[in-house]
Amino acid sequence: MIDTRRDGSVAVVTIDRHSTRNALDAEVCTALREAIDSAGAAAEGEDPVRAIVVTGAGTAFCAGADLSGGVYNLNFYDAHAAMLRAVESVPVPVIAAVNGPAVGAGVQLALAADLRVVAPGAVFAVPVVKVGLALDNWTIKRLANVVGGGHARSVLMAARPVGAEEAARIGLANEIGGLDTAMELAAEISRFAPLSLRHIKSVINDDDARLLPREEHTELQQRAWRSEDMAEARAAREEKRPPVFRGR
């Protein structure tokens, strides 16, 4: 499910769920958080971890939330939020090696990382408006902080998929390349001053993305999650038909 290995001072954490294209459920999120926490704890040891690479096994980075695995409950919501916070707060740089499609929760995982190396055939997509769900404030604001408000609107409101070249153009990808490219970048960064890197990471992540949402934001998000439209999206998926949304 989660494979962890060391390559010198770089820890490599791989989501390995071929049958679901590396989709996330509460169990996977918890295991991934524990792997990140363990690598972070090793940053202070005699053989320290200086950087972390997160990637997916096979041809997908992460196909999003596992819709067959109970993601519509608070267990997934809490485990997923804790995983993202671990990636964001671990005291060493995290590089997402986006080796294939990153959808929904996969995009969130990539956004939590400090740098993204994107394979030529990879694509980002956040289709929440097509399934009646609502993102948390952190995801929307972090995406806007990374790519700018205009591009974030296209990705979220128009559900526009973003390929590798476009991702590089708008700042979602720091480099284009495969796992080898990500490992080379991680090895280079691992030779830099750890305290300097930790300071940069802390300051950059101290944006408004972690501010508590206003009551109206929370109400709108919960309204979407409780809506008939969300139930319609689930039914349409099971019945293999387009959903018909009614705004209630």
Side-chain angles (χ1 to χ4, degrees):
M1 185 168 57
I2 299 295
D3 177 68
T4 304
R5 64 182 176 88
R6 284 286 297 271
D7 187 334
S9 57
V10 178
V12 184
V13 179
T14 304
I15 307 169
D16 191 355
R17 296 187 77 205
H18 290 280
S19 61
T20 65
R21 293 177 62 78
N22 302 325
L24 303 176
D25 59 17
E27 184 181 4
V28 177
C29 288
T30 298
L32 183 54
R33 175 185 58 77
E34 290 173 349
I36 295 294
D37 286 344
S38 177
E44 305 293 337
E46 293 184 2
D47 182 22
V49 167
R50 296 298 192 202
I52 300 170
V53 172
V54 177
T55 192
T59 59
F61 176 67
C62 174
D66 185 351
L67 298 179
S68 65
V71 301
Y72 293 99
N73 59 51
L74 287 178
N75 287 338
F76 173 76
Y77 187 90
D78 292 342
H80 180 250
M83 177 200 71
L84 295 178
R85 191 59 188 257
V87 174
E88 186 184 31
S89 62
V90 68
V92 298
V94 178
I95 299 169
V98 183
N99 55 300
V103 180
V107 176
Q108 292 173 300
L109 176 57
L111 284 171
D114 301 294
L115 297 162
R116 287 156 293 280
V117 175
V118 181
V123 63
F124 296 90
V126 189
V128 289
V129 294
K130 296 182 177 181
V131 294
L133 299 180
L135 294 167
D136 61 304
N137 277 33
W138 174 87
T139 302
I140 296 170
K141 291 185 175 183
R142 179 54 56 84
L143 179 62
N145 289 339
V146 171
V147 305
H151 295 305
R153 284 172 172 82
S154 293
V155 172
L156 299 177
M157 300 183 78
R160 293 282 188 262
V162 178
E165 295 286 344
E166 178 71 1
R169 188 183 70 82
I170 66 177
L172 187 53
N174 299 97
E175 293 190 21
I176 295 178
L179 180 58
D180 289 346
T181 301
M183 292 299 296
E184 290 171 5
L185 179 59
E188 178 183 9
I189 289 174
S190 72
R191 294 190 287 270
F192 296 156
L195 295 180
S196 298
L197 291 167
R198 187 169 182 176
H199 171 249
I200 292 167
K201 175 169 181 166
S202 178
V203 172
I204 288 178
N205 285 340
D206 187 23
D207 54 19
D208 64 352
R210 285 291 177 192
L211 292 179
L212 291 176
R214 296 208 305 263
E215 287 185 11
E216 64 187 278
H217 296 163
T218 300
E219 171 57 27
L220 285 169
Q221 183 185 20
Q222 292 177 350
R223 184 179 174 188
W225 278 82
R226 297 191 302 257
S227 69
E228 293 177 17
D229 279 350
M230 191 191 78
E232 161 65 8
R234 294 175 67 181
R237 179 176 181 272
E238 292 173 358
E239 296 166 11
K240 302 185 188 307
R241 60 172 175 81
V244 179
F245 296 128
R246 304 186 186 278
R248 60 176 185 258

